Amino acid sequence: KKISTNNPSSLIIQNNFFEYNSLSGYSSWYPNFAHQCLFTAWDSALLAQDELQVLEFPCLAALHSFLPSHGSLTVDSISPSPVLIQNAIRRCALDTISLPSIYGNQFRLASKELILNRLTILNPIIKSNIYAMEAPSSGYGYYKKYQILSILSTAYTAFSNIVQMENEKYKNNNGNNSSNNENNMKKKKKKNSNESNNSVIPVEIHIGYWGCGAYGGNSVLMILIQLLALKLSNVSNVVIHGSPNVSYAEKAIDIFENDIPLNNTEDAINWIEKQKFKWGVSDGN
């Protein structure tokens, strides 16, 4: 596929974890770093990103039980099938940054009193959109081309479907507009014909170190491939959450903006493979 010549018009790095704050007028989407089985470990003694998200969005726990078996898989056979969730209700926020840590394996060792002291009940509640996709795991040595392609395919499937769904939602909500409104939309589309975002409603996608914890992914590479997938999906508003080490995200952006060939997808994938990115190791969480 030929890659758009437009870079994201808004690319922000934040040295924090997900806060689920949406800009006014934007449709914001946050990731779930999923297992193949959606929210499968939500009631375990561990507290990684997947479990933390369910704790703060209790409605997500029901999806694993009530969706049909094929609907609760983020990987269908060998093909990516990211799950998109709209208007999930966030009822609380848990502080996992303050010391002593209660993140990961430390959660099962923390006292009930400590956990409750870190918990804030939200009033009013917050509604957020979530995309769940699984990263590859158990790799070693240098990333191979098929692994790079698989990561890109998964991220592109999620991001492009978000843009498509938001576009269709807008059309459905405005299908009965008067001819004057239709003419106004035509003028607006003509004005924005050179912009990269295909969605009428501005889409803002948040990304992070997907697959770089328990799965041992390379932090620079995983951000880099997500940026490529966002570009292919024509997403113009991107927020990168770089905690706990923002330097990996900064390096990925530098490579994306200055080094990687963006004339077509095949060249980009081949270039990435030649850089010999190495797998990391699991952090045990």
Side-chain angles (χ1 to χ4, degrees):
K1 178 176 179 178
K2 185 177 181 180
I3 302 176
S4 166
T5 57
N6 296 307
N7 284 318
S9 57
S10 175
L11 179 58
I12 299 171
I13 273 192
Q14 297 180 349
N15 190 17
N16 61 10
F17 294 105
F18 309 128
E19 296 180 343
Y20 306 101
N21 296 323
S22 298
L23 293 174
S24 178
Y26 281 74
S27 181
S28 298
W29 287 81
Y30 284 84
N32 168 262
F33 299 152
H35 184 269
Q36 179 182 359
C37 299
L38 191 65
F39 307 122
T40 186
W42 70 269
D43 58 348
S44 70
L46 179 68
L47 189 76
Q49 191 267 344
D50 188 56
E51 294 78 34
L52 175 60
Q53 200 168 59
V54 176
L55 185 151
E56 297 184 339
F57 295 81
C59 61
L60 299 179
L63 292 180
H64 180 71
S65 300
F66 289 97
L67 283 175
S69 58
H70 66 276
S72 61
L73 295 178
T74 60
V75 179
D76 185 6
S77 183
I78 59 172
S79 300
S81 56
V83 177
L84 307 184
I85 304 162
Q86 291 182 289
N87 296 319
I89 297 175
R90 189 187 189 204
R91 297 190 176 275
C92 62
L94 184 67
D95 174 12
T96 59
I97 299 175
S98 299
L99 298 176
S101 175
I102 59 172
Y103 189 75
N105 288 305
Q106 297 302 314
F107 183 75
R108 62 185 177 86
L109 303 175
S111 67
K112 180 179 178 180
E113 180 182 13
L114 176 60
I115 294 171
L116 290 177
N117 284 338
R118 298 282 183 84
L119 191 68
T120 300
I121 303 301
L122 299 180
N123 187 15
I125 59 174
I126 296 173
K127 290 184 178 180
S128 295
N129 302 318
I130 294 169
Y131 62 94
M133 59 183 188
E134 186 182 32
S137 62
S138 304
Y140 61 91
Y142 299 119
Y143 278 81
K144 299 174 177 62
K145 183 175 180 178
Y146 78 89
Q147 294 171 324
I148 296 167
L149 184 58
S150 174
I151 298 165
L152 179 61
S153 175
T154 299
Y156 174 74
T157 301
F159 301 152
S160 62
N161 275 280
I162 288 171
V163 172
Q164 180 181 350
M165 185 174 67
E166 291 289 0
N167 197 28
E168 290 176 353
K169 182 172 68 174
Y170 181 88
K171 290 178 181 178
N172 290 336
N173 290 340
N174 294 274
N176 296 321
N177 282 353
S178 65
S179 58
N180 287 336
N181 286 336
E182 291 177 358
N183 289 333
N184 288 337
M185 283 302 302
K186 289 178 181 178
K187 292 178 182 178
K188 183 177 180 181
K189 288 181 179 179
K190 184 176 180 180
K191 179 181 178 182
N192 296 331
S193 61
N194 293 323
E195 295 183 3
S196 62
N197 190 2
N198 286 338
S199 177
V200 178
I201 298 175
V203 173
E204 179 186 74
I205 293 184
H206 293 247
I207 65 173
Y209 294 130
W210 169 47
C212 301
Y215 284 14
N218 182 293
S219 297
V220 175
L221 177 65
M222 294 303 284
I223 294 291
L224 178 63
I225 294 179
Q226 287 177 90
L227 289 173
L228 179 57
L230 288 160
K231 188 178 183 68
L232 287 167
S233 304
N234 293 320
V235 176
S236 57
N237 302 286
V238 179
V239 179
I240 303 174
H241 294 263
S243 187
N245 190 336
V246 73
S247 65
Y248 297 129
E250 291 172 341
K251 184 174 181 180
I253 291 175
D254 182 62
I255 294 171
F256 181 74
E257 292 182 340
N258 299 303
D259 297 328
I260 186 171
L262 294 174
N263 51 310
N264 63 68
T265 309
E266 183 71 17
D267 286 350
I269 293 171
N270 289 334
W271 185 89
I272 291 172
E273 183 187 24
K274 289 178 181 178
Q275 304 315 301
K276 296 188 178 298
F277 285 97
K278 292 187 70 173
W279 281 85
V281 295
S282 171
D283 66 0
N285 291 320

